[in-house]
Each structure stands twice: as structure tokens, then as C-alpha cells.
Amino acid sequence: MSGRNEGKELIIKPKSDSVFYIIDLEGKVLSTLNTGLPYSGDPLFVNGGKQVVFRGGQTKSKLIEGFKEELYIIDEDGKNKKQLTQYPPMDTTAGKFGYKAGTPKLHPTENYITYQSKQNGKYSLYAVSLDGQKHWKLTENKENEGWHDWSPDGKWLAIELFDNDQTQFHIGLMNWETQELKILTDSTYQYQQSPSFVLKK
């Protein structure tokens, strides 16, 4: 899910539906957003909440051939849908179930989208501009990279890191200016995933 209007409105993906719901903090459905795709997930408000970036698929599930997962952007009223990413057509290393375009995150100050993607046999973080014109590999860590989050000022990047066999997951914190990476976790737990920044009062 994602928030707008100072957190007073949320966009969510109900499990039993193929559209997004925009709700208030009481759970009241304010509006719905139909992307026109068989599968839509991981909605993210961008451009002040006027548009939404999301993961889309050409079939209802990865279990069905032709899923073709990519990131899209669409207006809040369901108009002007545009595909942002293009997975390399000759790369088969993600297989059927690996992320080709994972959950999108918005860099809070530079306004580009970051996401995980398994390419050339390794999960890495990639980026795409909101107009879809610029694509680049975001980081060069040796470990596989997955779910991640940006600090509100855009100066820090928290990353889920894991080995090829997925036997150990760690959370790393990267100084975005210096690219210095520090591992925050130990091996007490095998799974340490999906980091999120929170504001401390």
C-alpha cells in the first residue's frame, strides 16, 4: 500500500480483487482504480498522489503462462497507463517465479523509481525515471538484493541482502552519498527482510 494527503488516504490491493482501492483511515472506500490488466499489485502513489506506479501482469497469476511482469504508471482516474520497465527478452534467469520487476519504491528527493529484478542470475536493484525514458542499475553489491526502502531525506538506503541459496538474509544500510554499506543484522535469525524507515519522535 501507499499513502497520500499526509497519510489520510491509502491505496491498497484487496486480495480478492484485481483493482486498487483508495480508502480513508477508517477503511471507507473513497474510489477504485482499475488498471485494465489481469494482475495489478504493489501500488505506489507518485507525483503528489495524482499517479500510481504498480506491478502489472498480462495474466492473473505467475502460474499462468504469459504473465510478463513489468512496472506501469497510471493516472489516479485510470487513464494514461504506460509501461515503465522492459525485462531483457533474452534473460531467462528469473524463471517463472522470480521477480522481473519487484515492489516499486520512490526516491523521495530525486523522483525516480527503484525496484528489484533478477537479471543475469542475480537479484539486483534497478531504477527507472517516472517517464520511463531512463533505466539504470542502481547498486553494485555482491550479494543478492531484494526489498528495500529510502530514508525520507533520500540519504540512506536500507536493503535486504541474501546469498544465492537464500540460506541467510541480512539488512544492510547504505550511505547513498558515499555508497558505504553496513550490515545491521547478525545470523540469530535466518530471515530478516523487508526493511522500512520509521520516524522517531
Side-chain angles (χ1 to χ4, degrees):
M1 64 181 178
S2 177
R4 69 178 181 185
N5 190 19
E6 298 182 340
K8 297 176 182 177
E9 295 180 3
L10 304 174
I11 185 168
I12 63 170
K13 163 64 187 327
K15 185 176 181 181
S16 60
D17 210 334
S18 60
V19 302
F20 298 130
Y21 288 7
I22 298 176
I23 64 173
D24 63 19
L25 297 183
E26 301 298 322
K28 178 183 178 182
V29 178
L30 304 175
S31 62
T32 59
L33 173 55
N34 190 336
T35 67
L37 292 175
Y39 174 85
S40 301
D42 296 324
L44 172 69
F45 280 127
V46 297
N47 290 327
K50 296 180 180 179
Q51 291 183 299
V52 176
V53 174
F54 66 97
R55 287 176 52 236
Q58 298 297 323
T59 63
K60 290 185 177 181
S61 165
K62 288 186 178 184
L63 295 171
I64 304 173
E65 290 297 325
F67 187 70
K68 295 181 179 179
E69 173 184 64
E70 299 289 355
L71 294 184
Y72 295 81
I73 189 170
I74 193 170
D75 293 349
E76 62 179 334
D77 60 3
K79 297 179 180 178
N80 299 314
K81 180 177 64 189
K82 179 180 180 179
Q83 183 175 325
L84 294 178
T85 61
Q86 179 65 54
Y87 190 79
M90 301 305 293
D91 194 330
T92 61
T93 56
K96 179 178 284 189
F97 299 108
Y99 278 117
K100 295 181 178 179
T103 303
K105 292 288 185 177
L106 177 68
H107 190 286
T109 60
E110 298 182 30
N111 288 321
Y112 56 77
I113 296 298
T114 57
Y115 63 99
Q116 72 174 117
S117 180
K118 190 172 185 179
Q119 299 184 23
N120 299 313
K122 178 182 177 293
Y123 276 110
S124 297
L125 298 184
Y126 293 83
V128 59
S129 59
L130 287 174
D131 61 6
Q133 295 301 306
K134 184 179 179 182
H135 303 256
W136 67 99
K137 194 170 184 288
L138 186 72
T139 49
E140 294 294 342
N141 291 312
K142 293 185 293 184
E143 299 88 350
N144 288 274
E145 302 166 307
W147 287 309
H148 60 286
D149 195 28
W150 292 98
S151 64
D153 59 8
K155 294 181 178 180
W156 299 91
L157 176 62
I159 315 172
E160 166 198 274
L161 304 165
F162 54 97
D163 58 273
N164 287 334
D165 295 326
Q166 299 190 20
T167 62
Q168 182 65 58
F169 291 75
H170 284 291
I171 301 299
L173 184 63
M174 177 180 281
N175 181 314
W176 190 238
E177 181 178 356
T178 66
Q179 298 289 292
E180 180 183 359
L181 178 68
K182 179 181 180 181
I183 303 299
L184 302 180
T185 53
D186 57 28
S187 58
T188 301
Y189 300 100
Q190 178 181 0
Y191 293 101
Q192 300 167 112
Q193 301 176 288
S194 198
S196 294
F197 281 96
V198 294
L199 296 179
K200 182 179 180 181
K201 291 184 178 180

